[in-house]
Amino acid sequence: MRPFVNIRSARAGELGELQEIERRAAHMFRPFGCAELYARSLTGLEALRQGRAQRRLFVAADARDRPIGFALTEPSGRSAWLAEVDVLPSRTGRGVGTSLVRCSIEWACEAGVDRLLLSTMRRPRWNAPFYARFGFREVPAAQWGPELRAARGQEARRGFPMDERLIMQLDLTGIHRVGTFKRRS
């Protein structure tokens, strides 16, 4: 049996806690040489505030309603990005990340976007395969349009190891899941 996890909208007073969750989750990438880079590249408070205000910042909370993970989505025309998914390292492997990704997919379906994109590390065996379970597939470089090339360029400027990164997408055209996820404040 999985422990209780409630997915809800983020609250204003939790944004600093969410950055701390992201900082702690970054340490999971230490074996791949990226932990310090990820810890320095935290999602900014303004991005979290905007996500909260637009109801696209989701928190996984434990039985005491304390944040243990979060997901942030960002709209981009007919697409959206799964910009961040982080879970406290002590809570991984318990369905928290799965719940957050499902919630983000629900949001994207409700928003009416055609695809949900993400950029992630190729090497950790638990990373890209995790997203593939939801139907995300790698977008080959030959198929990148201006938006994806710009996203890659931004990551390169931030110092990410580009040979280790890949862009994945989930095609949402024709998917109708509206109403299966109820957001609570």
Side-chain angles (χ1 to χ4, degrees):
M1 173 187 274
R2 297 223 184 256
F4 174 83
V5 175
N6 178 40
I7 305 297
R8 60 171 171 73
S9 296
R11 297 180 183 137
E14 297 174 328
L15 303 185
E17 286 178 79
L18 301 185
Q19 282 188 316
E20 180 58 25
I21 289 170
E22 185 176 359
R23 184 177 294 106
R24 290 171 65 185
H27 293 291
M28 293 174 58
F29 291 91
R30 178 160 280 133
F32 308 100
C34 301
E36 289 74 25
L37 172 63
Y38 288 157
R40 288 191 315 267
S41 301
L42 296 180
T43 304
L45 282 176
E46 186 55 33
L48 294 174
R49 280 188 199 101
Q50 286 179 356
R52 181 188 166 280
Q54 295 171 4
R55 299 184 59 83
R56 53 185 177 76
L57 174 61
F58 311 106
V59 168
D62 66 11
R64 294 184 185 166
D65 203 32
R66 295 178 303 206
I68 58 173
F70 75 97
L72 174 65
T73 58
E74 294 180 359
S76 180
R78 297 293 308 154
S79 301
W81 286 87
L82 182 50
E84 198 65 47
V85 177
D86 290 297
V87 176
L88 285 172
S90 63
R91 300 299 184 109
T92 61
R94 300 179 187 181
V96 177
T98 295
S99 295
L100 287 165
V101 172
R102 284 184 180 150
C103 172
S104 299
I105 293 168
E106 294 284 336
W107 172 87
C109 289
E110 291 175 13
V113 299
D114 293 336
R115 66 183 180 168
L116 186 59
L117 297 156
L118 62 89
S119 181
T120 193
M121 292 280 293
R122 182 181 305 280
R123 202 165 23 144
R125 61 177 165 68
W126 42 262
N127 206 26
F130 169 75
Y131 294 111
R133 289 193 328 236
F134 298 95
F136 284 90
R137 299 290 175 251
E138 182 174 359
V139 181
Q143 295 177 13
W144 296 350
E147 178 186 13
L148 300 187
R149 284 192 297 277
R152 290 287 291 201
Q154 186 177 46
E155 287 183 339
R157 286 188 294 280
R158 290 172 60 196
F160 286 99
M162 299 316 291
D163 58 327
E164 288 289 328
R165 304 288 293 174
L166 72 149
I167 294 177
M168 301 179 82
Q169 77 174 10
L170 175 63
D171 182 3
L172 298 174
T173 56
I175 296 176
H176 301 286
R177 299 185 203 188
V178 176
T180 54
F181 171 70
K182 304 287 187 235
R183 281 188 274 283
R184 295 192 293 229
S185 298

